[in-house]
Amino acid sequence: MKKVILLGRPNVGKSSLFNRLARARIAITSEVAGTTRDVNKTEINIDDRECLLIDSGGLDESSKLFAAVQKRSLAEANEADIIVFMVDGKLYADEIDKKLFYAINRLGKPTALVVNKVDGKRDEQRAKDFISFGAKKLFEISVSHNSGTDELCEWIYSHLEPAKTSIDESIEDFLADFDESLLESDESNSRFKSNIDYENKAIKVGIIGRVNVGKSSLLNALVGQNRSVVSDIAGTTIDPVNEKISVNDGNKEREIEFIDTAGIRRRGKIEGIEKYALNRTQKMLENADIAVLVLDSVEGINELDERIAGLASEFELGVIIVLNKWDLKAQEYQDFDKEFDRMSREIRDRFKFLAYAPIISLSATSKKRVEKLKELICAVYKNYTIKLPTSRLNEVIAAATKAHPIPREHGRAVRIYYAAQFDTAAPKIALVMNKPKCLHFSYLRYLQNQLRASFELGGTPVILVPRGRGKSKEENNE
């Protein structure tokens, strides 16, 4: 256990800071200089790390007694691992403080210069004088107002030893009772700890979209036969149509099961038997792995396309966006790449919740680029069922929080202790932290982007679940 000592001249607030960090009134405090003469010690926790906090007497040689106190304090400093040197922010910097700080600095230990009693604008201006000390770490705090102490604690934390339990052991313990303490959604809708053999099972692919965008034509092109009835009459397909094919996926044969679903109309236009078709489409998506969202590149995108895309997002599926009828689109534009880029930007703008989904243009009737879609399905499925290495996962999260720290909550530090993937299809990752309710959705999106930059996760949602450590299910769900 590392030792952290508070040093400084008399009456700078060492004992007050000691009590604040210890969260208890251990040291006697008063405005009389030299109140503390003996050394106080107590074990404290800063988040998940422990240290021995030492409150020393003031550094002062004005009397025989104080000289003895100083000698004892310096002896403790020599044995300490981390030094917090405090000065009085109500006074201007002087040579005595500077000489003492230089002498302490020569010990070659992590040393912070802490300017205490910074309670207002004048104190802040006065505290700037202490920059002349050349300290690598300078903190302006007010112990009485509990201001700035979190930053100091973070600095101390960075120099402490990690908890004795290794990350891997913590994760094993954490996951062992995950279903008791962390599961947020209804277990009946979760694949948590499923025993599915994703390596060898058939990939279930639902083909979805509004009426008459070419879903049935696409199914026929994928399976190489007229499996689904195709006509210009909107709503021809009512029942989901299933068909399996085998494709070469690297060094192995992979089975893909396609399901052509009924086209979805606007709610006010759903008539008769089509109501049942919509319900069956939603039921199919519950058991699918990947949704192929088919859009009509000639007609363009409308509000209904966005609602249908929301279904794929709601069921946490891998998603591929298909711009169908691209052969007809190509007749209108000479610069195909420019038009594809324009439509892709529109899709990204309107389907922000599917930012991870790859976009492919093809023609179901001419079968152009249909083979590319098969390859993309296998690639997305691999990402959808990926198991991320725990050590690398934690490295990425740690680097992300260091590069862009989590916003504080009412002045309090918000910290992620470690990350643990607890499920696949789609990848679900628990973020074990001290204040899970304080992690804003925008920061979760930032972490998702960092994970995507470090791992192959194209086409799959990444679900991050902030959770406290060692809490009951009821406490986590409050």
Side-chain angles (χ1 to χ4, degrees):
M1 188 182 297
K2 289 199 171 183
K3 298 177 181 178
V4 181
I5 190 168
L6 309 180
L7 287 175
R9 292 165 70 185
N11 211 30
V12 295
K14 297 185 297 299
S15 296
S16 296
L17 179 59
F18 178 84
N19 289 341
R20 174 74 69 182
L21 296 179
R23 297 185 178 88
R25 293 185 62 84
I26 299 173
I28 297 172
T29 60
S30 77
E31 294 183 3
V32 178
T35 300
T36 302
R37 298 173 185 180
D38 290 309
V39 170
N40 281 315
K41 299 181 181 181
T42 188
E43 293 181 10
I44 67 167
N45 290 316
I46 299 180
D47 287 336
D48 60 332
R49 298 182 182 180
E50 297 178 333
C51 66
L52 183 65
L53 185 64
I54 303 169
D55 177 26
S56 66
L59 303 180
D60 185 4
E61 294 180 315
S62 60
S63 72
K64 201 170 184 179
L65 173 61
F66 287 169
V69 172
Q70 175 172 300
K71 184 177 180 181
R72 174 72 193 281
S73 297
L74 292 175
E76 287 290 341
N78 201 46
E79 295 296 321
D81 302 290
I82 301 163
I83 298 173
V84 175
F85 186 84
M86 299 181 66
V87 293
D88 191 336
K90 299 294 184 186
L91 306 174
Y92 284 100
D94 62 27
E95 287 302 312
I96 297 176
D97 277 325
K98 187 178 288 188
K99 286 180 180 178
L100 285 170
F101 180 73
Y102 289 166
I104 295 300
N105 233 8
R106 283 196 289 271
L107 294 174
K109 301 179 180 185
T111 303
L113 177 60
V114 174
V115 185
N116 188 27
K117 306 181 186 178
V118 180
D119 303 318
K121 292 292 183 183
R122 288 186 179 179
D123 298 332
E124 290 176 9
Q125 293 173 355
R126 194 183 301 113
K128 303 305 178 192
D129 279 0
F130 291 94
I131 294 174
S132 63
F133 283 33
K136 291 181 180 179
K137 280 293 179 183
L138 187 149
F139 298 94
E140 298 175 13
I141 73 170
S142 171
V143 176
S144 60
H145 292 95
N146 196 23
S147 170
T149 52
D150 273 353
E151 287 81 359
L152 175 60
C153 284
E154 285 185 19
W155 177 80
I156 296 172
Y157 179 92
S158 68
H159 292 284
L160 299 180
E161 297 292 339
K164 290 181 180 179
T165 305
S166 69
I167 285 180
D168 286 341
E169 289 173 342
S170 295
I171 290 172
E172 286 178 9
D173 293 342
F174 178 74
L175 294 181
D177 61 353
F178 183 86
D179 53 344
E180 294 297 327
S181 62
L182 293 177
L183 197 57
E184 181 177 47
S185 59
D186 185 347
E187 289 188 50
S188 63
N189 294 327
S190 171
R191 303 178 191 186
F192 170 62
K193 286 188 177 177
S194 59
N195 295 316
I196 298 172
D197 181 6
Y198 291 110
E199 282 291 321
N200 297 303
K201 75 176 283 290
I203 305 172
K204 292 190 176 182
V205 179
I207 303 174
I208 62 173
R210 55 187 166 90
V211 295
N212 219 27
V213 293
K215 298 184 303 302
S216 297
S217 297
L218 180 57
L219 174 66
N220 291 341
L222 286 164
V223 302
Q225 57 177 296
N226 292 329
R227 176 62 180 84
S228 194
V229 177
V230 177
S231 80
D232 293 331
I233 301 172
T236 300
T237 302
I238 295 296
D239 286 308
V241 179
N242 296 54
E243 189 66 32
K244 291 182 180 181
I245 64 169
S246 290
V247 298
N248 185 271
D249 181 17
N251 298 323
K252 63 180 291 184
E253 285 292 308
R254 169 72 75 179
E255 193 175 64
I256 302 177
E257 181 181 353
F258 292 104
I259 308 171
D260 174 23
T261 63
I264 299 174
R265 300 174 184 263
R266 295 182 185 277
R267 188 172 296 276
K269 293 188 177 182
I270 298 176
E271 300 173 355
I273 197 169
E274 288 186 68
K275 291 182 179 180
Y276 297 101
L278 175 60
N279 290 336
R280 294 186 71 172
T281 296
Q282 293 174 322
K283 200 72 177 174
M284 177 277 298
L285 288 175
E286 289 182 8
N287 298 310
D289 299 304
I290 295 173
V292 172
L293 173 63
V294 183
L295 305 175
D296 189 324
S297 62
V298 177
E299 290 187 10
I301 307 165
N302 62 30
E303 183 183 347
L304 184 56
D305 290 318
E306 294 181 43
R307 293 184 181 179
I308 296 168
L311 286 175
S313 177
E314 176 186 340
F315 288 104
E316 299 176 351
L317 304 176
V319 180
I320 299 170
I321 300 172
V322 170
L323 285 170
N324 191 25
K325 307 181 184 179
W326 197 252
D327 52 338
L328 300 177
K329 188 75 172 176
Q331 295 174 12
E332 302 176 33
Y333 297 91
Q334 292 182 343
D335 193 337
F336 306 145
D337 292 338
K338 186 175 181 180
E339 177 58 15
F340 178 78
D341 290 342
R342 185 198 67 77
M343 289 202 72
S344 295
R345 286 195 299 273
E346 183 183 355
I347 290 169
R348 295 302 184 209
D349 183 57
R350 299 185 70 161
F351 301 171
K352 289 185 173 66
F353 51 90
L354 292 181
Y356 54 86
I359 303 171
I360 182 173
S361 62
L362 54 77
S363 171
T365 53
S366 68
K367 300 183 181 179
K368 206 168 201 178
R369 291 172 60 79
V370 170
E371 290 301 315
K372 287 285 185 185
L373 176 57
K374 294 178 184 178
E375 294 174 11
L376 193 52
I377 288 169
C378 291
V380 168
Y381 182 76
K382 183 178 179 182
N383 300 340
Y384 183 66
T385 58
I386 193 172
K387 293 183 179 179
L388 304 175
T390 300
S391 58
R392 178 67 183 134
L393 173 62
N394 280 275
E395 286 174 9
V396 172
I397 295 295
T401 55
K402 184 176 181 181
H404 181 50
I406 305 172
R408 307 173 77 80
E409 177 69 13
H410 301 303
R412 300 289 184 178
V414 181
R415 194 185 308 282
I416 296 173
Y417 298 131
Y418 54 82
Q421 182 178 357
F422 62 88
D423 209 351
T424 57
K428 297 178 180 67
I429 298 165
L431 301 176
V432 186
M433 52 192 303
N434 61 340
K435 298 178 184 293
K437 295 179 184 177
C438 302
L439 202 59
H440 196 265
F441 74 87
S442 60
Y443 197 89
L444 283 172
R445 189 165 59 240
Y446 160 72
L447 291 179
Q448 288 170 336
N449 291 337
Q450 295 302 303
L451 290 170
R452 292 188 185 282
S454 302
F455 300 101
E456 289 293 331
L457 294 168
T460 180
V462 178
I463 296 104
L464 300 181
V465 185
R467 279 294 176 262
R469 187 178 61 174
K471 292 184 178 181
S472 67
K473 180 175 180 180
E474 290 74 17
E475 290 174 306
N476 270 317
N477 286 337
E478 283 181 0

